[in-house]
Amino acid sequence: MTPPRPERRPARAPAPRLLLAALATLAGCATPGEQSPPALPIAAAAAGLTAGDTAAAVFPDTAWWRLFGDPALDALIAQGLAGQPGLQVAAARLAAAAADARALTASQGPQLGLRAEPTRERFSENGLLPPPLAGSTQNLATLRAEGQW
């Protein structure tokens, strides 16, 4: 007796996948339609300017906030202007920040150093050193040259 064969499913047609790929490709070729023309600049008179006015002469006014006619805004601006640092204070703060930046970059350049470490040490009689040093007190010094880039 032969074992039963598993049923074979019919192979699916690739038609749905091909149809989806074709639709996606066609959608990428679609145009958004007719474009409107770009906006034209308005005339100076339509913006409330006279022919002799320029943007630099009209704005910014040094007291631009007074156009709103709000006394609370006037008080806030006056308080802010009274509490602001003067130009000399701002320049001093800027100079201090620049000095800090120069000090930081100076530590990143080449550096040379010389270090000396003198010590006075007593060696134990029961240690690892032999008798001329064992039980004696000696002056030791380390001299080290260091360089860094």
Side-chain angles (χ1 to χ4, degrees):
M1 183 182 242
T2 61
R5 290 177 135 192
E7 287 186 30
R8 292 189 92 194
R9 294 184 185 165
R12 288 189 189 179
R17 291 181 188 151
L18 287 176
L19 182 61
L20 185 61
L23 287 175
T25 304
L26 287 175
C29 297
T31 60
E34 200 165 314
Q35 300 292 316
S36 60
L40 298 174
I42 60 172
L49 301 173
T50 61
D53 289 340
T54 63
V58 175
F59 187 81
D61 185 13
T62 56
W64 57 267
W65 65 90
R66 294 180 195 227
L67 294 173
F68 295 111
D70 186 4
L73 180 61
D74 291 341
L76 284 173
I77 296 290
Q79 179 184 359
L81 290 175
Q84 74 174 348
L87 285 178
Q88 290 81 13
V89 174
R93 288 179 184 169
L94 185 62
D100 288 343
R102 282 192 304 274
L104 180 64
T105 56
S107 67
Q108 296 172 352
Q111 297 180 6
L112 293 174
L114 185 63
R115 181 180 297 193
E117 298 174 1
T119 57
R120 184 164 173 87
E121 187 172 346
R122 170 144 168 55
F123 294 100
S124 171
E125 297 89 12
N126 302 321
L128 296 173
L129 296 175
L133 290 176
S136 67
T137 302
Q138 300 290 324
N139 292 324
L140 303 173
T142 303
L143 183 62
R144 185 181 340 180
E146 299 172 340
Q148 179 180 347
W149 183 266

